Amino acid sequence: MLDNFDINKIDDIQSARKCIVLLFNLVEELKQENLELREQNQSLRDENNRLKGEQGKPRIKPNKKPPSSNYSSEGERRRPKKRTKKSKLNRIKIDRTEVRHVEPELLPEDAVFKGYEEVVLQDLKGVTDNILFRKEKYYSPSERKTYLAELPPGYDGEFGPGIKALAITLYFGYNMSEPNILQFFRDAGSKVSAGQISNFLIKKQDAFHDEKDAVYKAGLHSSPWQHIDDTKTRVNGKNQHCQILCNPLYTAYFTTEKKSRLSILDVLGNFRERKFLFNQETFTYLKIFKLPVLVMHQLKSFPQEGEMGEVELLKLLAERLPKLGPQQHTRVLESAAVAAYHAQMEFPVIQLFICDDAKQFRVLTKELALCWVHDGRHYKKLFPFIPYHRQLVDQFLERYWKFYDRLLEYKEHPTAEGKAKLDEDFDNLFSTITGYNALDERIARTKAKKRSLLMILKHPEIPLHNNPAELGVRKRVRKRDVSFGTRTREGTKAWDTFMTLAATAKKLGISFYKYIYDRVSCVYEMPHLADLIAEQAKKLQLGRSWSQGP
């Protein structure tokens, strides 16, 4: 940084200002490097002490509060809505009416009856409903056959639909652990075992798995854009990944071993058999991934314009490109798989992802909208040492969120003039040079994402952030905190299915417990969640800009 610095050339205010800016940035770099070296040095000392059988440095909290590690931008983004208290009496179901009388001896002789004053009190009971069924039994000597009365629908084994539905609701809807559910049932007087609780949650759930599949397909049909995010999850003690896809009408969970593009493509096809296709689109992606020309030339000898399975493609690659490196091998599979996904007709093809800038989400959809809140977090991670630099960060963030507010206004009332003005002002805002190098680099990176950050100018109906998917992630994290993880493939599938149904029911305004009880008791009075999604999608028109055309 000081290679071209000449103190003799400081002969005016402008030159002095440049010198100060240069020195300030040098101080920031040295301060950051010093912090990193201190942490590394202390880590090495602790490791050395442990190898010698001693203890490392004790973790003592400093008197001075360290910088916050909370990089959330919710305070700047969120605009609190005015809340008005609404009456709830008209929404309370009255189960019974009880008349309360005034004791006659308390009334004077001239007291006149003036009607009733109504008071509504809410209460719940946690009591058993154990039933002794006396099933009629007949025997026909001529047919040598016994006839036995059947139990009501939903009653099988030792337990009725109420306890089964409650176990599923408490575990997946309200995030209780299995031991706590067991204790709750036993306190209520039910003689149930831990193994039976586990069976309620994961065994014989094919009907619910089918409903989850229908919910997912309806969710994909409901809009051309989807939120997506992922988080770690534990399966049989090993790290895997949970993919979350959602929009305003549903949320779906999928557990995958990896978080690669191929894994996400598996999710987008609901784990159908992998298909691959070589066409013009495939080679466009290969160019984006910068595969060598010779490799691409060899790939053109593969069967073109026809789907092939994974076994067939791997065999061709082994025979014709045996020296292909692991990364290039993966890029070939990804490119052919994305092209096949876009060409298939079995599942709705997502046109746009709203997500963070993780690499695995790229090229899967024709368009990509990046989350402004996620981008804003990078600025919150800047902790300049010099007060002037902290002031520069605060001032720029104020301008950043004012521009965000203008995007929200455009979203409500899009116009051609507003679109052109916001496009121009984005360039002006993110061409700012503050003199604080770390901030200027961050600003330049945001500008490089202009197309994805301003996707709202083309599609005003999409959100500016990925909060719905991140809230879905948070629910999985909370589930992981309470129950740690699953141990079997069957349990993992149950987690994905019931978390999907619980989150979707909440978005649709449906009681998760009533829905589960309706299905477990085989009443089937409540509509399918997939049908509700399709019905509300027609009203919301989440893909207006796509239907209107360019």
Side-chain angles (χ1 to χ4, degrees), residues 272 274-280 282-283 299 302-310 312-313 316 336-337 339-341 343-344:
R272 69 166 192 155
R274 285 182 180 177
K275 297 294 182 180
F276 301 88
L277 175 66
F278 285 92
N279 58 11
Q280 186 59 45
T282 310
F283 290 97
L299 290 172
F302 285 28
Q304 304 291 303
E305 304 295 340
E307 280 191 347
M308 66 178 74
E310 188 169 14
E312 182 183 356
L313 178 55
L316 284 172
Y341 164 67
Q344 57 87 31

Side-chain angles (χ1 to χ4, degrees), residues 426-472:
F426 180 95
D427 289 335
N428 293 334
L429 174 60
F430 294 102
S431 296
T432 301
I433 302 298
T434 65
Y436 173 28
N437 288 349
L439 176 59
D440 291 344
E441 290 173 4
R442 185 68 257 164
I443 293 172
R445 289 177 184 175
T446 300
K447 186 178 181 180
K449 303 171 186 175
K450 175 183 177 180
R451 175 181 170 82
S452 297
L453 287 170
L454 289 187
M455 192 57 68
I456 190 176
L457 300 184
K458 184 177 180 181
H459 303 296
E461 67 270 38
I462 68 173
L464 283 164
H465 54 76
N466 198 33
N467 283 11
E470 295 199 2
L471 289 174

Side-chain angles (χ1 to χ4, degrees), residues 165 168-169 208 498 512-521:
I168 292 172
T169 304
F208 287 113
F498 286 109
F512 182 54
Y513 172 73
K514 290 181 179 178
Y515 161 75
I516 295 294
Y517 184 84
D518 178 82
R519 297 302 192 261
V520 173
S521 61

Side-chain angles (χ1 to χ4, degrees), residues 201-376:
L201 300 176
I202 67 176
K203 299 292 184 180
K204 299 179 181 179
Q205 305 295 8
D206 289 344
F208 287 113
H209 296 323
D210 291 342
E211 185 125 1
K212 183 229 177 174
D213 291 342
V215 163
Y216 181 46
K217 198 165 188 177
L220 294 180
H221 272 295
S222 66
S223 74
W225 55 269
Q226 305 286 336
H227 295 277
I228 188 169
D229 205 350
D230 61 57
T231 185
K232 287 184 178 179
T233 191
R234 299 280 283 182
V235 177
N236 198 23
K238 296 181 180 180
N239 285 334
Q240 293 194 13
H241 301 272
C242 179
Q243 311 291 339
I244 295 94
L245 273 86
C246 63
N247 68 19
L249 298 176
Y250 85 107
T251 298
Y253 293 82
F254 302 88
T255 299
T256 60
E257 290 187 11
K258 301 177 181 179
K259 62 175 184 178
S260 62
R261 284 191 185 91
L262 289 175
S263 296
I264 298 174
L265 286 168
D266 290 338
V267 169
L268 299 184
N270 203 11
F271 299 102
R272 69 166 192 155
E273 184 183 353
R274 285 182 180 177
K275 297 294 182 180
F276 301 88
L277 175 66
F278 285 92
N279 58 11
Q280 186 59 45
E281 184 181 359
T282 310
F283 290 97
T284 300
Y285 297 138
L286 292 172
K287 288 181 181 178
I288 294 174
F289 293 139
K290 298 180 180 179
L291 256 71
V293 176
L294 291 176
V295 172
M296 293 175 62
H297 179 73
Q298 186 67 28
L299 290 172
K300 288 183 179 180
S301 67
F302 285 28
Q304 304 291 303
E305 304 295 340
E307 280 191 347
M308 66 178 74
E310 188 169 14
V311 174
E312 182 183 356
L313 178 55
L314 292 177
K315 183 179 179 181
L316 284 172
L317 289 173
E319 291 175 352
R320 303 186 187 183
L321 290 167
K323 296 183 179 179
L324 199 63
Q327 187 173 7
Q328 294 177 346
H329 188 276
T330 300
R331 295 293 176 258
V332 171
L333 295 179
E334 290 176 344
S335 300
V338 172
Y341 164 67
H342 290 162
Q344 57 87 31
M345 305 290 289
E346 184 180 348
F347 265 79
V349 177
I350 299 171
Q351 301 297 314
L352 180 145
F353 269 154
I354 302 173
C355 56
D356 57 33
D357 54 356
K359 293 181 180 180
Q360 67 268 22
F361 299 140
R362 299 174 191 170
V363 312
L364 294 176
T365 55
K366 292 183 178 180
E367 296 176 308
L368 197 71
L370 292 180
C371 173
W372 277 82
V373 174
H374 187 273
D375 183 74

